[in-house]
Amino acid sequence: MRPDRMIVLTQAPGIKISIRPQVRPSNLVRTRVAIPAAPATLPVSTPVAATASGSICGIRAIKGQNLQPIPGKLSGCGVTSPVRVSSVAGVALSQGAIMDCTTAKALNNWVKNSVKPIVGRLGGGATSLQVIAHYSCRTRNSKPGAKISEHGKGHAIDISAINLKNGSSLTVLSGWRKNAEGKLLKSLHRAACGPFGTVLGPNADRHHQDHFHLDTARYRSGSYCR
């Protein structure tokens, strides 16, 4: 090798330089490291895409999700085009309630035209509806052999109270027979008769002492309200 082509290695104090790679130990064993796969996306079985604003049923004030058709476990149950409603007319539902759009529109009309004006500024105004029942494939009052409830068709919702912004509530069970609260609750009950085909409350029977049953079944003689 020519002198001008020589490579000179210098060693800094305290540092060892190895010109050749170290010999690999004979007992070295290669192992494969398993890299966990990315978690699969869970399929969404029920909700389908809502509009960008969250509005459903063609009404801006009705918020929620469109759902896949719900088959009935019993003959007569099921909803062809169900939705899960989270709020109507700016008033929230205490839980997402499954129903059809006809019922969602009736609920929106009742809240907009009756609940909010009747409650007014009491307690700061209505902030939510206390929902105790919505879609459920069952017979009326869960009696064996009875006709399928409107709940089983996505036509009904049960409301036990109107919750107010200050944390208080107009509760059907405790307020129906009181003077001030009772007047408001009875006005709300009467106002639901029209938007809904059936309106049942504490005067109907023992099954409705603690809530309003509201459904969109239609009768030739008009709305049935008790």
Side-chain angles (χ1 to χ4, degrees), residues 22-132:
Q22 295 180 352
V23 178
R24 183 173 298 175
S26 59
N27 62 347
L28 182 66
V29 178
R30 248 181 227 276
T31 59
R32 291 181 177 272
V33 178
I35 300 175
T41 303
L42 295 176
V44 179
S45 57
T46 308
V48 297
T51 60
S53 64
S55 298
I56 52 175
C57 299
I59 306 293
R60 185 183 296 273
I62 304 176
K63 307 294 186 182
Q65 288 178 309
N66 296 304
L67 305 178
Q68 299 287 0
I70 300 174
K73 295 181 180 179
L74 300 175
S75 177
C77 282
V79 191
T80 303
S81 300
V83 292
R84 181 183 286 112
V85 180
S86 58
S87 71
V88 291
V91 175
L93 275 59
S94 63
Q95 59 174 299
I98 296 174
M99 62 192 76
D100 63 8
C101 275
T102 297
T103 307
K105 290 175 182 178
L107 185 64
N108 182 68
N109 288 341
W110 178 59
V111 171
K112 176 184 176 182
N113 300 322
S114 302
V115 174
K116 294 175 78 172
I118 290 172
V119 172
R121 296 183 180 180
L122 180 68
T127 187
S128 69
L129 305 179
Q130 194 66 35
V131 178
I132 60 170

Side-chain angles (χ1 to χ4, degrees), residues 123 127 163-169:
T127 187
N163 299 317
L164 308 179
K165 291 181 181 179
N166 67 355
S168 62
S169 298

Side-chain angles (χ1 to χ4, degrees), residues 133-152:
H134 47 105
Y135 175 77
S136 176
C137 183
R138 61 176 174 80
T139 57
R140 293 179 182 176
N141 300 319
S142 299
K143 290 183 177 179
K147 292 182 178 180
I148 293 296
S149 168
E150 295 301 318
H151 284 284

